[in-house]
Amino acid sequence: MRKKLLCALLLGCFLLSGCGSMLDRSYEDSSPHIQFSDEDQDPSILRAETYQGLVSALLHLVGQGEPDGIIRLYQYVSVTGSASSDVDQACLEVTQEDSLGAWAVDYIKYDVGQTPAYYEVNVKLAYTRSPEEIRQVISVTGSSAIPRELVDLLPSLPTQAIFRISYFTARDSAETIRQGVLEAYASQSLPLPPLEAVTVNLYPNQGQQRVAEILLSWGPEEPQ
């Protein structure tokens, strides 16, 4: 009787969609996936096994400001029909949809070769920003953190400040960020030269992740 009751309970659980979803989530959560890694023999070569790993490897090169790189795709299954078309799509995703790529990268050239063990992708990246500018990008969760960061930055009178925003909401805009800059300027404890102009450019034009490029124009310091 107990065995029959147990079987009935288990059957009822599997028939419920909620129970099935719980099983799916627990499987996904217990299977972390490494998107890409370095080759053991040569750390300068990146390796990946999935399309998302390919994208992550490209973004790693961008984050380091690397002018070129090699990515090897092992046991790779194409999402578009061929490895070459996957690489083409990944390059477009990095340069047009990713916030850092849209801000910093002009274009990516690539060549795809094949060996019995892997595809080898050689990429060359052309940038619109210098490696120093890329390294100076400040990552923040939301745009509300920008004024707090600027309170410490403004006394050095920077001509630009670059923020990578992880969560850009529908209430955020170039104008709300500009107002945040003015608030940070007004809250300075020591007098600064006049802040004559503030320009905010967002990259890309849409999406939850953006780069906010803030350009600052300072007037002459007032005599003491």
Side-chain angles (χ1 to χ4, degrees), residues 1-101:
M1 182 65 180
R2 289 182 178 176
K3 289 183 178 179
K4 291 182 179 179
L5 180 59
L6 178 60
C7 289
L9 289 172
L10 288 174
L11 179 60
C13 180
F14 281 112
L15 289 175
L16 292 173
S17 60
C19 185
S21 298
M22 289 175 62
L23 291 173
D24 292 341
R25 283 197 297 270
S26 64
Y27 176 78
E28 292 174 2
D29 292 343
S30 63
S31 304
H33 181 69
I34 298 174
Q35 300 289 359
F36 75 95
S37 60
D38 299 335
E39 281 281 25
D40 294 335
Q41 295 82 7
D42 189 346
S44 67
I45 299 175
L46 303 178
R47 59 180 293 158
E49 297 180 3
T50 65
Y51 174 80
Q52 192 53 54
L54 167 63
V55 173
S56 297
L58 288 170
L59 289 175
H60 173 76
L61 295 174
V62 173
Q64 300 298 312
E66 296 288 351
D68 49 49
I70 297 175
I71 305 169
R72 289 178 178 169
L73 305 176
Y74 289 87
Q75 299 176 330
Y76 186 76
V77 178
S78 173
V79 298
T80 65
S82 71
S84 293
S85 60
D86 281 10
V87 175
D88 188 62
Q89 179 173 294
C91 291
L92 287 175
E93 183 174 333
V94 167
T95 56
Q96 297 181 9
E97 299 178 23
D98 178 76
S99 57
L100 188 63

Side-chain angles (χ1 to χ4, degrees), residues 139-160:
S139 295
V140 294
T141 302
S143 63
S144 61
I146 293 178
R148 295 193 294 272
E149 295 286 342
L150 287 173
V151 167
D152 296 328
L153 289 175
L154 290 182
S156 64
L157 306 183
T159 56
Q160 73 172 14

